[in-house]
């Protein structure tokens, strides 16, 4: 699960009866109030043929990045979702392009408020069964460009 740095938005994952994982969200108006009811994040965050794991919020809670595992293979790719306010739903899913996503398992950790800085890890298993994990950072000049 994840809590936005501003403390007003939270996300957890739950397993479905079909074995996929879905993202559920809660929010609160102030830091002194308890979180409200946890609600299933609507499409495009949760879709029937994809599991969503390892959520991470931007500090302001308006951007969400998560590992999405699709029906076409075991590698997880990072998707980005954005909303214009905490009380609004996330917009369409954007699969981040290479070099962020590769044929390996990707997992996000941090996304900046302006969506221009991302920290993520890449993990794979070698032929001799060693697990290799690299932590990488990516940046871009605007939220509409590809990360480098």
């Amino acid at each position: 699960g994840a809590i936005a740095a501003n403390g007003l938005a939270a996300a957890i994952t739950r397993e479905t009866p079909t074995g996929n994982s879905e993202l559920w969200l809660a929010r609160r108006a102030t830091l002194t109030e308890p979180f409200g009811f946890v609600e299933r994040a609507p499409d495009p965050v949760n879709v029937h043929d994809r599991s969503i794991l390892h959520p991470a919020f931007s500090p302001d809670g308006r951007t969400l990045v998560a590992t999405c595992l699709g029906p076409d293979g075991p590698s997880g790719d990072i998707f980005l979702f954005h909303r214009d306010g905490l009380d609004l739903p996330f917009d369409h899913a954007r699969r981040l392009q290479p070099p962020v996503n590769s044929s390996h398992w990707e997992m996000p950790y941090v996304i900046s408020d302006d969506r221009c800085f991302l920290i993520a890890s890449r993990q794979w298993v070698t032929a001799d069964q060693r697990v290799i994990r690299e932590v990488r950072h990516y940046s871009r000049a605007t939220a509409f460009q590809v990360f480098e």
Side-chain angles (χ1 to χ4, degrees), residues 38-84:
V38 179
E39 298 176 341
R40 182 184 178 275
D43 292 349
V45 176
N46 290 310
V47 294
H48 71 283
D49 63 345
R50 177 176 72 206
S51 280
I52 186 163
L53 305 161
H54 312 297
F57 280 110
S58 61
D60 66 6
R62 292 178 25 183
T63 301
L64 173 75
V65 285
T67 301
C68 295
L69 181 61
D72 55 346
S75 72
D77 286 336
I78 296 175
F79 279 67
L80 183 143
F81 310 90
H82 183 74
R83 59 186 172 187
D84 290 328

Side-chain angles (χ1 to χ4, degrees), residues 6-8 27-36:
N6 67 7
L8 302 179
R27 62 178 198 256
R28 59 185 174 181
T30 68
L31 293 176
T32 58
E33 295 178 31
F35 280 102

Side-chain angles (χ1 to χ4, degrees), residues 9-128:
I12 61 167
T13 56
R14 287 185 176 171
E15 190 171 327
T16 67
T18 62
N20 285 340
S21 292
E22 293 182 328
L23 192 74
W24 289 64
L25 302 171
R27 62 178 198 256
R28 59 185 174 181
T30 68
L31 293 176
T32 58
E33 295 178 31
F35 280 102
F37 291 103
V38 179
E39 298 176 341
R40 182 184 178 275
D43 292 349
V45 176
N46 290 310
V47 294
H48 71 283
D49 63 345
R50 177 176 72 206
S51 280
I52 186 163
L53 305 161
H54 312 297
F57 280 110
S58 61
D60 66 6
R62 292 178 25 183
T63 301
L64 173 75
V65 285
T67 301
C68 295
L69 181 61
D72 55 346
S75 72
D77 286 336
I78 296 175
F79 279 67
L80 183 143
F81 310 90
H82 183 74
R83 59 186 172 187
D84 290 328
L86 289 178
D87 57 338
L88 299 172
F90 287 101
D91 64 11
H92 68 280
R94 292 183 196 102
R95 181 185 174 276
L96 297 180
Q97 299 300 309
V100 175
N101 285 316
S102 69
S103 61
H104 303 300
W105 184 273
E106 324 302 335
M107 188 168 69
Y109 294 108
V110 174
I111 184 79
S112 62
D113 283 344
D114 61 7
R115 300 176 310 233
C116 292
F117 183 75
L118 172 73
I119 298 176
S121 69
R122 177 172 293 165
Q123 179 176 308
W124 68 94
V125 179
T126 63
D128 61 352

